[in-house]
Amino acid sequence: NAGVTQTPKFRILKIGQSMTLQCTQDMNHNYMYWYRQDPGMGLKLIYYSVGAGITDKGEVPNGYNVSRSTTEDFPLRLELAAPSQTSVYFCASSVNNEQYFGPGTRLTVT
Amino acid sequence: AQTVTQSQPEMSVQEAETVTLSCTYDTSESDYYLFWYKQPPSRQMILVIRQEAYKQQNATENRFSVNFQKAAKSFSLKISDSQLGDAAMYFCARGAQFYFGTGTSLTVIP
């Protein structure tokens, strides 16, 4: 099993650009999550999903959108990138309250 | 507020000694999970140990153990026989909708 994979690993965006961060898991987990981690801070929940077709906001959803058309994929969309969205983004899936994290995407908005 | 507080931004320990990392949390739920994650410089989030709130017995995983005080909403991590590979950021988290603390940076002194 590959577990949770994220692409890209690194990305630099200009202010106002859009992009999608990809997340895929091959463990057939229903629950999936997107977090951001700012320097020197813990993870903050952006959005989560309890199954295909069902998503909900977390602690810091503004500026992001998600969709969940399949169990495997949970992409995160940034529509108008802002410098405040510079961060490391982690995707995770979970089963039995145990989370499995992807390797993260480092995003810089300049 | 659903918060998790780690009051020790940095800790250090001599190799082979014992160190305890502190965590307090807030919740209105009666049944929940608590976690400690390790994040080395590689950024990968690694589950160290987890505790189910309805269980009285403190969880243990090899050299890692917790002191769970439900009434005090306290969840500390004890690392025994510290090793150089234990050096990392450690995050406390509360589930099911996961909230993370700001982390404790652990240095292990040879």
Side-chain angles (χ1 to χ4, degrees):
Chain A
N1 286 348
V4 180
T5 57
Q6 293 182 238
T7 56
K9 285 187 169 51
F10 303 94
R11 182 73 185 269
I12 298 174
L13 278 183
K14 293 191 185 307
I15 294 171
Q17 286 186 321
S18 301
M19 77 163 295
T20 299
L21 281 66
Q22 301 292 346
C23 174
T24 299
Q25 54 95 5
D26 61 0
M27 298 173 281
N28 202 35
H29 291 166
N30 284 324
Y31 287 74
M32 295 188 73
Y33 310 80
W34 273 106
Y35 294 93
R36 59 177 286 171
Q37 184 179 27
D38 298 331
M41 301 294 287
L43 279 65
K44 293 197 173 180
L45 184 63
I46 305 171
Y47 270 96
Y48 67 99
S49 170
V50 301
I54 307 169
T55 62
D56 207 348
K57 296 177 181 178
E59 200 178 352
V60 289
N62 291 345
Y64 307 94
N65 279 300
V66 293
S67 59
R68 184 96 182 271
S69 55
T70 67
T71 299
E72 294 77 21
D73 300 309
F74 190 40
L76 178 71
R77 178 85 178 159
L78 284 71
E79 290 294 348
L80 291 170
S84 60
Q85 294 177 304
T86 293
S87 192
V88 178
Y89 291 83
F90 286 96
C91 179
S93 67
S94 77
V95 65
N96 297 330
N97 277 284
E98 182 166 340
Q99 287 197 318
Y100 298 78
F101 284 86
T105 295
R106 182 178 294 278
L107 176 67
T108 302
V109 182
T110 62
Chain B
Q2 308 275 8
T3 58
V4 177
T5 302
Q6 294 178 250
S7 59
Q8 304 155 316
E10 297 178 348
M11 292 284 285
S12 61
V13 61
Q14 291 285 143
E15 196 175 1
E17 296 295 310
T18 295
V19 64
T20 298
L21 309 184
S22 300
C23 174
T24 58
Y25 62 92
D26 191 13
T27 183
S28 55
E29 299 173 17
S30 58
D31 191 17
Y32 49 91
Y33 288 78
L34 297 161
F35 306 84
W36 279 98
Y37 285 90
K38 172 184 177 182
Q39 187 180 44
S42 66
R43 278 198 330 236
Q44 184 68 43
M45 295 292 286
I46 302 165
L47 178 65
V48 174
I49 198 166
R50 77 173 188 172
Q51 174 80 40
E52 298 169 74
Y54 66 88
K55 288 190 175 179
Q56 301 278 359
Q57 190 172 2
N58 289 326
T60 300
E61 289 286 344
N62 300 313
R63 297 182 295 108
F64 299 88
S65 62
V66 300
N67 183 5
F68 173 48
Q69 302 288 331
K70 189 171 184 179
K73 295 192 172 85
S74 170
F75 182 60
S76 60
L77 174 69
K78 185 171 84 170
I79 306 174
S80 304
D81 185 27
S82 296
Q83 300 175 358
L84 295 177
D86 295 334
M89 285 290 291
Y90 285 81
F91 293 98
C92 178
R94 185 192 73 75
Q97 190 182 103
F98 287 77
Y99 292 89
F100 284 77
T102 52
T104 296
S105 177
L106 179 66
T107 300
V108 180
I109 303 166

